[in-house]
Amino acid sequence: MSAVLTPAGDLRLLVVRNLRRESRLVDGLIVNLALPVIIMVLFVYVFGGAITTGSSGLDYIDFVVPAVLLMSGGYGAALTAVSIAEDMSGGMIDRFRTLPVGGWVIPAAHVVASLARNVAACVFALAAALLLGFRPNASPTDWLLVLAVAAGYVLAMSSLSVLWGLLVDSSQAAGAFSFVVLFLPYLSNGVVPAETMPPLLRAFAHHQPITPVVDTLRSLLLGLPMGSSGALTAAWLTGIVAISAPAAASLFRRRTST
């Protein structure tokens, strides 16, 4: 006798399906895990001696690790656009339409699978940072908040990624979103102090979501004053999810209703 279908059961099965599919893409897993570590090694050991951290006075590895965590989780989350674009164009959605699966469950499963996979990628990047000499000064409560912020960032990027994957018509176009997400930390307070940038770039860095997220993680990990960055982080991430998740669900219903 088959199990009773419920939205929660459907979601669980589709999350497992997405995680299994991604685990078979060995090249993607290697890039997702290795790229941020390579970037960290490059900046710390090649460029780090020539980069000052401005008024913060931090060692460069302490300064850059929060940005690398976001690169790790964000890049993997952005690849969710490719996964859902492949489902939309490869016939998988037509098969799902023959089943009693709620329309919101399919994009939600991509988001949940991305959340699980890329929070783990952040943990891997943090472990690599510890091996390279990063020494955080965080309390148990701070560590829980670090996990919450990282998960919130991955959730926001995953929701936005699913929306982008539904807006474009091919997996190649969907993949372009990963470059945007990977590049944004460079135009924030994550890799170099925003105060060292030209005025136009400095203004952009101060008014984009990555900067308060980086500042919040840096404060939590190193025991520094947080100021307003925590509230700004919560506002940015909540706003992104609140807009992109319903928009993605609505767009998915429209694209699959014909």
Side-chain angles (χ1 to χ4, degrees), residues 185-221:
Y186 291 96
L187 297 179
S188 72
N189 198 35
V191 176
V192 298
E195 63 198 48
T196 65
M197 298 179 182
L200 183 61
L201 290 180
R202 183 166 63 246
F204 177 80
H206 284 313
H207 296 89
Q208 62 122 322
I210 306 298
T211 289
V213 179
V214 166
D215 288 342
T216 299
L217 288 175
R218 194 176 286 139
S219 298
L220 292 171
L221 289 168

Side-chain angles (χ1 to χ4, degrees), residues 9-245:
D10 293 339
L11 180 63
R12 179 181 60 83
L13 291 174
L14 289 176
V15 167
V16 172
R17 174 251 178 186
N18 290 331
L19 289 174
R20 286 179 175 173
R21 182 178 69 170
E22 295 300 324
S23 68
R24 298 188 185 104
L25 302 176
V26 179
D27 53 345
L29 287 174
I30 293 174
V31 171
N32 192 19
L33 295 176
L35 183 60
V37 177
I38 293 171
I39 290 173
M40 184 159 48
V41 171
L42 181 66
F43 274 98
V44 172
Y45 291 110
V46 178
F47 302 135
I51 300 176
T52 63
T53 58
S55 59
S56 68
L58 297 172
D59 291 339
Y60 188 66
I61 189 171
D62 296 332
F63 183 86
V64 78
V65 162
V68 175
L69 296 183
L70 297 187
M71 290 180 191
S72 180
Y75 177 76
L79 293 179
T80 309
V82 178
S83 298
I84 196 164
E86 289 176 346
D87 278 353
M88 298 298 294
S89 61
M92 183 58 68
I93 298 302
D94 292 332
R95 295 178 62 184
F96 284 143
R97 289 173 68 183
T98 66
L99 302 172
V101 178
W104 65 271
V105 173
I106 297 172
H110 280 280
V111 172
V112 174
S114 173
L115 181 63
R117 185 175 65 252
N118 292 299
V119 168
C122 289
V123 173
F124 178 84
L126 181 60
L130 294 173
L131 291 175
L132 291 173
F134 177 57
R135 294 296 178 262
N137 183 28
S139 68
T141 300
D142 291 335
W143 280 114
L144 289 176
L145 291 173
V146 166
L147 179 62
V149 172
Y153 179 75
V154 171
L155 177 62
M157 292 301 103
S158 300
S159 301
L160 200 57
S161 181
V162 167
L163 178 59
W164 174 254
L166 292 170
L167 286 171
V168 299
D169 296 324
S170 68
S171 58
Q172 291 80 6
F177 186 67
S178 63
F179 294 99
V180 175
V181 174
L182 187 62
F183 185 68
L184 271 180
Y186 291 96
L187 297 179
S188 72
N189 198 35
V191 176
V192 298
E195 63 198 48
T196 65
M197 298 179 182
L200 183 61
L201 290 180
R202 183 166 63 246
F204 177 80
H206 284 313
H207 296 89
Q208 62 122 322
I210 306 298
T211 289
V213 179
V214 166
D215 288 342
T216 299
L217 288 175
R218 194 176 286 139
S219 298
L220 292 171
L221 289 168
L222 302 176
L224 302 174
M226 185 175 298
S228 62
S229 64
L232 288 172
T233 293
W236 269 110
L237 298 184
T238 301
I240 291 172
V241 174
I243 293 172
S244 60

